Amino acid sequence: MTTLPRFPRELLQASKSERLAYFSDCTVVHRRLKEAYDNFVEAITNPGGAALVFLFGPTGVGKTTLLYQVMKVLIEQNLLAMALDPGFIPVATVEAHSPELGNFDWKDYYKSVLVALADPFVEYKLKTRSSRTYGSGKEQHLAKSKANLSSIREDVEYTMSQRQLIAFLVDEAQRFTKMASGRRLQDQMDAIVSMAGMTNTLHGLFGTYELLEFRNLSAQLSRRSIDIHFQRYQVEYAEDIIDFKRVLKSFACQMPLPEEPDLELHWEYFYERSIGCVGIVKDWLTQALRKALDAEASTLTLVHLKPYAPSVSKCMQMITEAIEGEKALIEDETELIKLRQKLGLTAISSPIAKEASPDNMANSAQTSKTSRKKRNPGERNPHRDVIGGTQNVS
């Protein structure tokens, strides 16, 4: 059995805030996180003409953790190139802000992008676009025009191109969907795809299942995007239960307490109130650890956990949204049949697979077996007699 890493024992002598910060900063690498990470890295390494990578999953599954892990690795891999070219930034990220008045605020978004790209003239570009001299002599004066949305976008595209980004990552990207109409929803995505193309920069959009609204707004968008599903752990699968328990064990090993808590003992309680999302578990444990440290407890118990457990009503809302999102990603056989009909193909989902399926092979063997005619003793098996010659008799 693999030995799990544990916190440094000298940390027990540190202050409460230092111990809490240590646990808060630690990341447990687990199977679902690794799967999503590998798929995302593969997508940005080999996009195949895609401009966008959608990474979606239930709230609290760990999407932001994954985003920062991708950033960390890309920066570490490009340290030498960054040293040789101070203007080069391999990756940058912003969090899409939730709109206050119902519609997504592009000007606010562009400002965040310029800040993320370390543009030193952000405020100037947002306030003024150009200047013009009026009058002559003593009456001469300089008037500056206000920046409009298109001019700010040009600045963003120019700066992004100069930075030579490998990828630009947007967290909470489902907030792009906050628009008044479906038509404007497509405009949102067209703007992002256009920016990705103009700057030759792959955009990664991290968000909840609300991002699914964007996937098939148009054939062009479908062709230029890659979908990655960051899944939660589900009790329907034995492997998921094992891995979920291992996650709890890993967190327990990283808790700087005199006695290691037995979190696995309460795995069903953790699953019930996290719906199988590791990010929710981590936030919950961080709050409980703070309470345990304040109480100078030797270990973490249900006394510390229960006050911070997500309520049943919240869990019901989360699992309802998660199941709806998961269902939307299931490829329905009826839709596949419709697709094949539109293409002029047969309604059979896969002729080759159908012929080679175990059931079909078994049916074929059974048919062959039952089709053999019983014969009386001494009756010859059917065969073609030789004509115009002699038969060899043994």
Side-chain angles (χ1 to χ4, degrees):
M1 185 175 179
T2 306
T3 303
L4 296 173
R6 284 173 164 76
F7 70 91
R9 298 301 294 180
E10 58 269 21
L11 200 59
L12 291 175
Q13 308 304 319
S15 65
K16 295 176 184 178
S17 59
E18 289 174 317
R19 290 156 73 183
L20 184 66
Y22 171 84
F23 181 77
S24 181
D25 292 340
C26 79
T27 298
V28 169
V29 178
H30 53 94
R31 179 169 57 86
R32 290 299 190 192
L33 176 65
K34 189 175 185 306
E35 287 172 352
Y37 171 84
D38 289 343
N39 290 335
F40 190 84
V41 171
E42 171 64 21
I44 61 177
T45 304
N46 185 25
L52 304 179
V53 179
F54 291 113
L55 187 139
F56 37 72
T59 182
V61 76
K63 297 180 293 294
T64 301
T65 297
L66 173 59
L67 184 152
Y68 283 109
Q69 189 64 27
V70 170
M71 287 192 65
K72 178 176 178 289
V73 172
L74 284 177
I75 290 172
E76 288 175 351
Q77 290 176 345
N78 290 276
L79 285 174
L80 179 59
M82 293 170 69
L84 295 173
D85 181 3
F88 169 57
I89 298 178
V91 62
T93 184
V94 296
E95 178 181 325
H97 296 165
S98 185
E100 297 178 0
L101 302 176
N103 285 343
F104 186 77
D105 189 339
W106 278 99
K107 185 174 182 179
D108 180 65
Y109 172 72
Y110 288 149
K111 177 182 178 180
S112 299
V113 173
L114 289 171
V115 170
L117 297 175
D119 189 321
F121 304 107
V122 175
E123 294 301 329
Y124 178 81
K125 289 177 178 178
L126 290 172
K127 291 178 181 178
T128 61
R129 175 59 184 172
S130 61
S131 58
R132 185 173 179 179
T133 303
Y134 291 89
S136 60
K138 293 182 179 180
E139 301 297 323
Q140 192 177 65
H141 64 280
L142 189 68
K144 295 181 179 180
S145 62
K146 289 185 177 180
N148 55 40
L149 196 59
S150 61
S151 65
I152 298 172
R153 178 190 168 94
E154 289 175 8
D155 289 327
V156 169
E157 290 177 347
Y158 175 78
T159 306
M160 193 172 285
S161 298
Q162 291 297 303
R163 293 305 193 193
Q164 306 171 61
L165 291 161
I166 296 172
F168 186 77
L169 312 179
V170 183
D171 201 11
E172 303 294 349
Q174 72 276 0
R175 291 170 181 165
F176 282 121
T177 65
K178 308 302 181 184
M179 299 302 294
S181 68
R183 175 61 197 170
R184 295 196 65 188
L185 198 62
Q186 183 168 335
D187 292 342
Q188 297 283 83
M189 280 297 97
D190 287 344
I192 298 173
V193 172
S194 174
M195 178 170 289
M198 294 291 290
T199 61
N200 195 30
T201 301
L202 190 77
H203 280 52
L205 305 184
F206 291 61
T208 64
Y209 289 120
E210 291 178 71
L211 272 180
L212 294 175
E213 295 182 46
F214 283 143
R215 288 198 310 157
N216 300 316
L217 286 173
S218 67
Q220 173 74 354
L221 182 58
S222 298
R223 188 182 72 84
R224 299 293 306 279
S225 62
I226 296 172
D227 298 340
I228 297 175
H229 186 196
F230 191 168
Q231 301 181 64
R232 63 190 178 92
Y233 288 103
Q234 300 184 45
V235 292
E236 291 87 346
Y237 308 106
E239 185 182 12
D240 278 16
I241 296 176
I242 294 171
D243 286 337
F244 187 74
K245 289 180 178 179
R246 187 178 292 122
V247 168
L248 293 176
K249 178 66 174 176
S250 298
F251 279 134
C253 291
Q254 291 297 326
M255 284 192 162
L257 294 167
E259 297 177 27
E260 184 180 301
D262 188 0
L263 303 182
E264 293 175 272
L265 181 65
H266 308 292
W267 78 267
E268 285 194 22
Y269 180 49
F270 280 106
Y271 185 86
E272 168 195 299
R273 299 305 175 94
S274 69
I275 70 166
C277 294
V278 174
I280 295 175
V281 173
K282 174 66 182 300
D283 291 342
W284 180 7
L285 287 175
T286 302
Q287 290 177 294
L289 177 60
R290 182 192 295 274
K291 185 175 180 65
L293 291 172
D294 287 342
E296 298 184 353
S298 60
T299 191
L300 193 78
T301 66
L302 289 175
V303 173
H304 310 114
L305 287 165
K306 285 185 176 180
Y308 304 104
S311 66
V312 173
S313 60
K314 288 181 179 179
C315 294
M316 281 295 293
Q317 180 64 32
M318 290 189 293
I319 191 59
T320 299
E321 291 181 6
I323 291 174
E324 287 177 357
E326 289 159 357
K327 284 182 178 178
L329 290 166
I330 297 174
E331 291 191 345
D332 185 72
E333 188 174 351
T334 304
E335 291 299 312
L336 180 57
I337 292 173
K338 289 180 181 178
L339 169 63
R340 293 180 64 84
Q341 288 174 342
K342 283 183 178 290
L343 292 170
L345 299 172
T346 61
I348 301 172
S349 59
S350 178
I352 296 175
K354 186 175 178 65
E355 288 177 8
S357 68
D359 290 343
N360 231 39
M361 293 174 71
N363 291 338
S364 177
Q366 182 67 23
T367 302
S368 175
K369 186 176 180 180
T370 56
S371 64
R372 294 174 184 170
K373 181 182 176 182
K374 288 187 176 181
R375 295 179 178 81
N376 296 322
E379 185 179 349
R380 294 192 307 162
N381 287 330
H383 69 278
R384 187 181 296 276
D385 290 328
V386 179
I387 300 175
T390 59
Q391 290 180 317
N392 292 326
V393 180
S394 55

